[in-house]
């Protein structure tokens, strides 16, 4: 049985428990105790969360844990010298040390990010890189597992990190069963963007939302302005005007963003041929998709797939 310890700092964000829940569900789905779960703090006792709730914790004993997760609140945390010492001691005996959101700053203060790729919430990635220049901070990643150091982006990305660990420990089938058990709409690979194309477009008008939802469901179709305007029950001219007013971009630019997001996800989470991905997401030819990827991400599709590494589902 693998012992998992979640270290909580004062005013920690309660969504960190979602990550522990993934391991709990894994025990149930496997019908045996794969993981033993512990909530830890520097000296034990009750620790107050950002919502004002107190949770009971055990003293952080640096020995005997397979995996240690560190969670903080919604501001960069102050880290005591004793906590730094505990984490440094743990790094010699613990198979994985991980952070959820701004917990990355705690690992950084302990010197554990040096020489490692890392991520955190996109609002704080520049500051993480500034404070810990010996690390390589990657802004637009949901989570990164680099050797024994794992880091995740904000809030819900802790679940994606935990699912990645479960897959690494016990295979993709169990990780998928856990995701289904937690009613997660789809597995998100670590390399997936922290930003959602639909969320970025942020259309308020029902007609534009309807058109965008139709586009996301039918990316394999041409999706001309005339097609989208018909779905929105507007003339092409009206549709284009309202669409730009609602989203700040043209319909063509928005559709390309949706195609890029879908194609990137397929590349990271499958081993489907690149040309097939291009066809399914509406790019048509692989070369057209390659040019779009280089413009948007600075890398061709194959490089995106390679960066996803072994955590991409096969």
């Amino acid at each position: 049985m693998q012992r998992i310890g979640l270290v909580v700092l004062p005013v920690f964000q309660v969504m960190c428990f979602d990550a522990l829940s993934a391991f709990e569900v894994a025990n149930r789905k496997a019908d045996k105790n794969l993981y033993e779960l512990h909530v830890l703090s520097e000296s034990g006792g009750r620790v107050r969360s950002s919502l004002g709730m107190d949770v009971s914790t055990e003293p952080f004993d640096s020995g005997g844990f397979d995996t240690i997760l560190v969670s903080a609140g919604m501001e960069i945390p102050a880290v005591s010298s004793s906590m730094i010492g505990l984490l440094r001691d743990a790094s010699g005996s613990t198979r994985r040390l991980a952070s959820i959101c701004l917990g990355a700053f705690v690992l950084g203060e302990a010197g554990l990010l040096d020489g490692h790729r890392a991520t955190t919430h996109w609002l704080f990635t520049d500051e993480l890189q500034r404070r810990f220049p010996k690390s390589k901070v990657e802004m637009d990643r949901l989570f990164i597992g680099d050797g024994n150091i794992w880091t995740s982006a904000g809030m819900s990305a802790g679940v994606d990190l935990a699912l990645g660990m479960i897959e690494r420990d016990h295979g993709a089938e169990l990780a998928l069963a856990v995701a289904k058990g937690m009613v997660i709409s789809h597995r998100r690979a670590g390399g997936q963007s922290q930003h959602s194309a639909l969320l970025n477009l942020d259309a308020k008008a029902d007609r534009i939302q309807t058109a965008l939802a139709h586009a996301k469901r039918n990316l394999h179709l041409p999706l001309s302005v005339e097609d989208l305007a018909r779905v929105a029950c507007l003339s092409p001219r009206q549709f284009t005007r309202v669409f730009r007013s609602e989203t700040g971009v043209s319909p063509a630019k928005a559709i390309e963003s949706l195609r890029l997001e879908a194609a990137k996800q397929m590349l990271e989470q499958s081993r489907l041929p690149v040309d097939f991905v291009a066809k399914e997401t509406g790019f048509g030819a692989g070369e057209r998709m390659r040019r779009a990827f280089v413009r948007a991400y600075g890398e061709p599709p194959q490089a995106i797939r390679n960066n996803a590494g072994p955590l991409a589902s096969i």
Side-chain angles (χ1 to χ4, degrees), residues 5 18 22 35 44 65 88 133 164 189 207 227 234 253 256 275 293 298:
D18 286 353
Y35 299 105
F65 286 96
R88 286 176 177 168
R207 291 186 179 190
D227 294 333
L234 294 168
K253 185 67 176 176
E256 181 175 82
D275 285 343
F293 266 64

Side-chain angles (χ1 to χ4, degrees), residues 150-231:
W150 292 56
T151 52
S152 74
M155 307 298 182
S156 62
V159 176
D160 301 293
L161 177 141
L163 289 170
M165 288 181 169
I166 292 166
E167 179 173 343
R168 183 69 62 86
D169 294 342
H170 300 289
E173 185 176 347
L174 179 60
L176 181 60
V178 173
K180 289 181 177 178
M182 296 180 74
V183 198
I184 294 172
S185 60
H186 67 273
R187 287 285 315 281
R188 301 190 299 180
Q192 188 170 329
S193 173
Q194 294 187 31
H195 303 279
S196 160
L198 277 180
L199 185 61
N200 288 342
L201 292 168
D202 195 28
K204 303 291 193 304
D206 289 344
R207 291 186 179 190
I208 303 304
Q209 287 186 6
T210 298
L212 285 169
H214 170 81
K216 191 168 176 63
R217 290 193 304 268
N218 296 280
L219 290 174
H220 60 286
L221 298 177
L223 298 174
S224 67
V225 169
E226 290 75 17
D227 294 333
L228 296 174
R230 191 160 41 250
V231 171

Side-chain angles (χ1 to χ4, degrees), residues 30-52:
D31 199 27
K32 58 183 175 181
N33 290 327
L34 302 174
Y35 299 105
E36 180 183 295
L37 307 178
H38 299 263
V39 180
L40 312 172
S41 66
E42 185 175 324
S43 54
R46 302 183 74 81
V47 178
R48 180 147 294 189
S49 74
S50 60
L51 292 181

Side-chain angles (χ1 to χ4, degrees), residues 201 212 225 239-240 243-244 247-257:
L201 292 168
L212 285 169
V225 169
F239 175 77
T240 300
F243 191 97
R244 187 179 287 277
T247 66
V249 298
S250 68
K253 185 67 176 176
I255 296 305
E256 181 175 82
S257 295

